[in-house]
Amino acid sequence: MTNTPDPSLFTGLSAFPLTPLKGGSLDEDAFVGLIERLVLAGVDSITALGSTGSYAYLDTDERARVAQLSVESALDIPVFIGVGALRTRDVLANVASAEAAGAQGVLLAPVSYQPLTDDEVFALFRSVTESTDLPVVVYDNPGTTHFTFTTELYSQLAGLDGVASIKIPGTPASPAGWDERIGEIRAAIGSEVTIGISGDAHGAEGLIAGCDAWYTAVGGTIPEPMLEITRAAELGNAQLARELSAELQPLWDLFTEFGGSLRVTAAIAEHLGLVGADTLPLPVRDLDAAAKRKVAEVAENLDLG
């Protein structure tokens, strides 16, 4: 299919909510509550079924229901739906359910068990863009997929009709290093495809360096601090954006200590009464009681909520 996405749709802060479970099944009330929280905060878009939304652990029917609830609850906030899966057949089924729900875009990671080649990843994205008019966000998350995108592959994917944005991983770098990296990507993909930063500790630096969007994990639960950083960067106030991010360093440290943002975000959501205990999909487990107390203490000290 031929699709010319609106780049402005993929800018600002896109919040990635948890997909809370209860007794192993989708906790619909808690999920809708998370979406409504994001609407009230005024996020620029909502991306359901990202890594924070545990998409890889849900079957196609569960994901179709999450897509439906997301769009129904988001009012006029654009909703993007994660569609990655092991087989292209299932990816396309997830795309179809996102379309049926009324989503305004899809997020695609090259999920695999066998290591994929660049040609295989390109073919996957081509299959999706040829199957739908929905804009596609390229999800580069080597920490979970174990596939590393090259800048050349970014360039090839940006040439596909329908690719609207590239979600890049955050890495430690100096401001000059960030400027160089974002400039390199921009030169490769042109101006019609947006660049989105992920890795919440690196959100401020990515935005300051020229990323168009922040695809934030913890912002799906506590959007307000991430919105403050985003708006400061959008206004060109790099100093304020950095100061606001630095204030959250205890939170970023928790991500490092506990192996990423998912379990910490779930613990924050539980502490705030937004989800219940044991909300993650087994075999992934909640943090233990001592770790939850530590997360709650940081949340209280930072006034997260």
Side-chain angles (χ1 to χ4, degrees):
M1 297 186 180
T2 300
N3 178 27
T4 303
D6 176 5
S8 66
L9 196 62
F10 301 90
T11 61
L13 185 135
S14 190
F16 283 51
L18 296 159
T19 305
L21 304 182
K22 186 175 184 180
S25 298
L26 175 63
D27 186 341
E28 294 194 3
D29 290 341
F31 180 73
V32 169
L34 290 171
I35 299 297
E36 292 175 344
R37 180 179 174 87
L38 299 176
V39 173
L40 289 172
V43 301
D44 297 301
S45 63
I46 295 168
T47 304
L49 296 173
S51 294
T52 308
S54 301
Y55 72 95
Y57 298 90
L58 305 177
D59 64 30
T60 53
D61 288 341
E62 290 171 321
R63 293 167 70 164
R65 180 59 176 158
V66 170
Q68 181 184 21
L69 289 172
S70 299
V71 174
E72 288 177 352
S73 305
L75 300 182
D76 60 348
I77 304 290
V79 172
F80 314 137
I81 299 294
V83 295
L86 283 171
R87 291 187 63 180
T88 300
R89 172 200 65 190
D90 297 327
V91 172
L92 297 178
N94 294 330
V95 171
S97 65
E99 286 182 326
Q104 291 185 258
V106 296
L107 173 75
L108 175 58
V111 181
S112 189
Y113 179 82
Q114 299 294 339
L116 296 174
T117 68
D118 284 11
D119 287 345
E120 289 167 335
V121 170
F122 180 81
L124 168 65
F125 279 88
R126 183 175 57 199
S127 294
V128 170
T129 57
E130 289 176 348
S131 75
T132 183
D133 284 330
L134 289 179
V136 177
V137 179
V138 176
Y139 189 4
D140 181 356
N141 190 355
T144 56
T145 65
H146 308 293
F147 178 83
T148 300
F149 285 79
T150 63
T151 305
E152 180 182 0
L153 183 55
Y154 284 163
S155 178
Q156 293 170 346
L157 293 172
L160 291 172
D161 287 335
V163 168
S165 184
I166 297 176
K167 178 181 186 288
I168 67 170
T171 55
S174 66
W178 272 107
D179 289 341
E180 180 180 359
R181 178 59 178 146
I182 300 307
E184 177 187 30
I185 296 172
R186 178 61 65 205
I189 69 173
S191 60
E192 295 304 310
V193 174
T194 70
I195 304 171
I197 184 64
S198 61
D200 287 341
H202 307 290
E205 290 298 337
L207 292 170
I208 291 165
C211 287
D212 308 284
W214 184 4
Y215 295 111
T216 168
V218 75
T221 296
I222 46 169
E224 288 83 1
M226 314 310 148
L227 279 166
E228 290 180 3
I229 294 169
T230 302
R231 300 300 181 241
E234 289 174 338
L235 291 171
N237 194 336
Q239 179 179 344
L240 177 57
R242 289 188 173 113
E243 288 175 353
L244 291 169
S245 183
E247 290 175 3
L248 296 175
Q249 189 60 50
L251 178 59
W252 312 148
D253 291 342
L254 289 175
F255 293 171
T256 300
E257 181 176 356
F258 296 118
S261 61
L262 176 61
R263 294 175 181 84
V264 174
T265 299
I268 292 172
E270 182 183 349
H271 171 68
L272 296 176
L274 304 174
V275 304
D278 301 319
T279 194
L280 298 175
L282 294 173
V284 183
R285 302 183 69 87
D286 286 2
L287 297 176
D288 64 26
K292 284 184 178 181
R293 286 194 295 270
K294 188 169 186 177
V295 171
E297 181 179 354
V298 169
E300 291 292 335
N301 289 341
L302 294 177
D303 194 24
L304 302 178

